[in-house]
Amino acid sequence: MATRTALLLLLGVAGAGPAPAQASRGDREPVYRECLTQCEKRNCSGPGLRHFRSHQPLYMSLTGWTCRDECKYECMWLTVGLYVQEGYKVPQFHGKEPASAFASFLNGLANLVMLNRYKAAVPRSSPMYHTCIAFAWVSLNAWFWSTVFHTRETNLTEKMDYFCASAVILHSVYLCCVRTLGLKRPAFATAIGIFLLLFLACHVSYLTLVRFDYGYNMVANVVIGLLNLFWWLGWCMRNQQRLPYVWKCVAVVLLLQVLALLELLDFPPLLWVFDAHAIWHISTIPVNILFYSFLVDDSLYLLKANSIIKVD
């Protein structure tokens, strides 16, 4: 009873202050931190730790789930329950995100299905075939690490999630470069590809060897993403009359920008499962499918155009 009263007191203090920026970080809330401290003292040493290890399911042990992780999970739900009971806004927490992990898995599955459809529909002789296949594999790798990261958040899985996401954005720029300029100027596309690889290597090296700067990483990806956006849009606008299927590419790049706004929203998870991040991941599944549809149409158009040129 005394512990519950103390937690409610901490909750009241936290809810009384303005600090909206802190409210979205559940792991910084006083009630959560106090609960975590007490739980670790009680359960993560001596007899408590031995009891935890002896009763831990095998699947949780294999994923590296520790006593501290268990305390975080229990204290998260305790904090959520207290906030709901007292009528305060529920903060977001870090850690395992099953909805985001499942959505990432579905995105990876959609990419794999569409990759196979692309390979079945487009002959290898199409000028964009190998570039599109490479893009598909880079995307699959990114969704794999996104699934792993949202299943088990560690320093390694976090970095792999961020780095592989950056690789997808950079490869999308390369894909756009090859499609818009590289087919007629392959040396230029090769030079751009080398530059993008060097940039990725420097980006990863800085974040790994110097310091993991979230702000820098976000700015770098936003700048590259905007370059990718305007490059694709510019090419689509110039070719919309000649290539009627480019509406798919326009829809994809615009939808991705609009859906990214979900990352700025802060609301309690729907059904306590689907937060803004998970909904964002789910919403990208049909967008990915639409982009592959564009790649199939465009690759087949290029194949037909090349056949006509050779006949002439």
Side-chain angles (χ1 to χ4, degrees):
M1 183 66 180
T3 301
R4 179 179 174 81
T5 303
L7 290 175
L8 285 171
L9 179 61
L10 281 169
L11 180 61
V13 173
Q22 297 296 326
S24 63
R25 295 290 302 272
D27 54 347
R28 290 183 179 177
E29 293 299 314
V31 60
Y32 171 82
R33 294 169 64 181
E34 176 64 20
C35 172
L36 183 60
T37 299
Q38 295 302 321
C39 180
E40 288 184 319
K41 286 182 180 179
R42 184 172 60 253
N43 299 319
C44 298
S45 61
L49 181 59
R50 288 193 293 272
H51 180 270
F52 168 78
R53 289 174 175 171
S54 63
H55 290 78
Q56 185 181 32
L58 178 61
Y59 72 92
M60 295 183 71
S61 177
L62 291 175
T63 59
W65 189 258
T66 65
C67 178
R68 178 176 172 79
D69 294 323
E70 186 70 18
C71 283
K72 287 181 178 180
Y73 183 76
E74 291 181 2
C75 290
M76 176 189 71
W77 284 111
L78 173 64
T79 305
V80 167
L82 291 172
Y83 268 74
V84 171
Q85 179 179 330
E86 297 301 309
Y88 294 116
K89 183 178 180 181
V90 177
Q92 290 184 335
F93 292 85
H94 294 291
K96 287 180 69 177
E97 302 174 71
S100 293
F102 185 61
S104 296
F105 171 77
L106 291 179
N107 269 286
L109 183 61
N111 271 264
L112 181 60
V113 170
M114 295 308 294
L115 168 61
N116 289 328
R117 288 189 180 180
Y118 180 90
K119 292 169 70 175
V122 180
R124 296 174 65 89
S125 54
S126 176
M128 287 294 294
Y129 180 88
H130 296 289
T131 307
C132 291
I133 293 297
F135 175 76
W137 282 111
V138 171
S139 299
L140 274 170
N141 179 63
W143 287 118
F144 168 78
W145 283 108
S146 177
T147 303
V148 172
F149 170 64
H150 290 302
T151 301
R152 185 73 178 95
E153 183 177 340
T154 67
N155 187 51
L156 172 63
T157 60
E158 180 183 40
K159 283 184 168 60
M160 292 303 297
D161 180 48
Y162 277 74
F163 297 159
C164 293
S166 297
V168 172
I169 299 173
L170 289 169
H171 203 289
S172 182
V173 173
Y174 177 69
L175 181 70
C176 183
C177 175
V178 173
R179 178 59 184 93
T180 59
L181 301 172
L183 295 179
K184 295 181 179 179
R185 304 177 183 86
F188 177 77
T190 300
I192 292 295
I194 293 173
F195 170 77
L196 293 174
L197 279 174
L198 290 174
F199 176 82
L200 179 62
C202 293
H203 180 72
V204 171
S205 298
Y206 172 74
L207 292 174
T208 303
L209 303 177
V210 180
R211 72 188 185 100
F212 198 83
D213 188 332
Y214 291 93
Y216 155 74
N217 182 71
M218 181 184 69
V219 170
N221 282 290
V222 167
V223 170
I224 299 166
L226 288 175
L227 170 64
N228 189 48
L229 166 68
F230 290 118
W231 197 342
W232 274 117
L233 281 181
W235 177 81
C236 290
M237 293 301 102
R238 289 195 305 271
N239 292 277
Q240 59 179 334
Q241 298 298 327
R242 187 169 61 92
L243 307 174
Y245 56 83
V246 297
W247 70 267
K248 297 179 181 180
C249 183
V250 174
V252 167
V253 294
L254 292 180
L255 280 172
L256 287 177
Q257 302 307 310
V258 172
L259 293 173
L261 296 176
L262 284 168
E263 288 288 85
L264 303 178
L265 299 180
D266 183 11
F267 55 83
L270 302 177
L271 305 176
W272 300 114
V273 175
F274 301 100
D275 62 5
H277 189 69
I279 295 173
W280 172 62
H281 274 320
I282 293 171
S283 63
T284 59
I285 296 172
V287 178
N288 280 321
I289 294 173
L290 184 60
F291 188 61
Y292 276 99
S293 177
F294 159 74
L295 292 179
V296 169
D297 291 342
D298 193 52
S299 296
L300 291 176
Y301 163 79
L302 289 172
L303 182 65
K304 182 179 179 181
N306 267 19
S307 299
I308 293 174
I309 291 174
K310 289 179 180 178
V311 170
D312 292 343

